[in-house]
Amino acid sequence: QLVESGGGSAQVGGSLRLSCAVSGYSYNNYCGGWFRQAPGKERETVAAKYTALGISYYADSAKGRFTISQDNAKSTVYLQMTSLKPEDTAMYYCAARAYCPDTATMTRPGLYEYWGQGTQVTVSS
């Protein structure tokens, strides 16, 4: 089970940290990512990480602003978001799958087996 939290409203240039609490399995053995979906748009990959192979991915829109990390002791995955922009407004989801052989797999939402319920992020000026 994945449960997101930490969403909310932020000003342009502000920061938010999203959390994804994992239960039922050891997340450090899984490939996990953060995705977002804005109204009328497809779900897109924001960031993903697979510690077992030491690979990670950031969307161009997230590079330099967002950081995905995990605390295995707390079974929690984080997405630290800084320098927020209005176009970051979306529902954010965390997801996991058992294995990601490459970054191409990481970036395909349809291949993820487990999903959280989502947390809304709204950025305004």
Side-chain angles (χ1 to χ4, degrees):
Q1 183 180 7
L2 307 176
V3 179
E4 302 97 334
S5 61
S9 297
Q11 296 289 316
V12 170
S15 300
L16 285 172
R17 188 177 76 161
L18 306 184
S19 299
C20 176
V22 180
S23 60
Y25 56 91
S26 177
Y27 186 83
N28 58 311
N29 295 325
Y30 277 69
C31 172
W34 285 95
F35 303 81
R36 68 186 182 187
Q37 188 166 19
K41 295 188 177 181
E42 293 186 356
R43 189 167 297 189
E44 62 175 349
T45 309
V46 177
K49 185 174 183 178
Y50 187 34
T51 302
L53 292 184
I55 56 176
S56 61
Y57 168 86
Y58 289 92
D60 287 343
S61 59
K63 288 178 181 176
R65 300 190 301 126
F66 295 2
T67 303
I68 184 171
S69 63
Q70 61 190 73
D71 185 333
N72 292 332
K74 296 182 178 180
S75 295
T76 301
V77 184
Y78 302 99
L79 183 68
Q80 178 69 51
M81 305 187 295
T82 63
S83 301
L84 286 165
K85 304 176 181 180
E87 50 264 42
D88 294 320
T89 295
M91 184 71 79
Y92 284 72
Y93 301 88
C94 67
R97 58 174 277 122
Y99 177 62
C100 283
D102 48 43
T103 54
T105 301
M106 289 175 134
T107 60
R108 295 176 62 183
L111 296 182
Y112 281 75
E113 301 160 292
Y114 307 103
W115 288 87
Q117 82 288 350
T119 186
Q120 178 68 37
V121 171
T122 303
V123 183
S124 58
S125 56

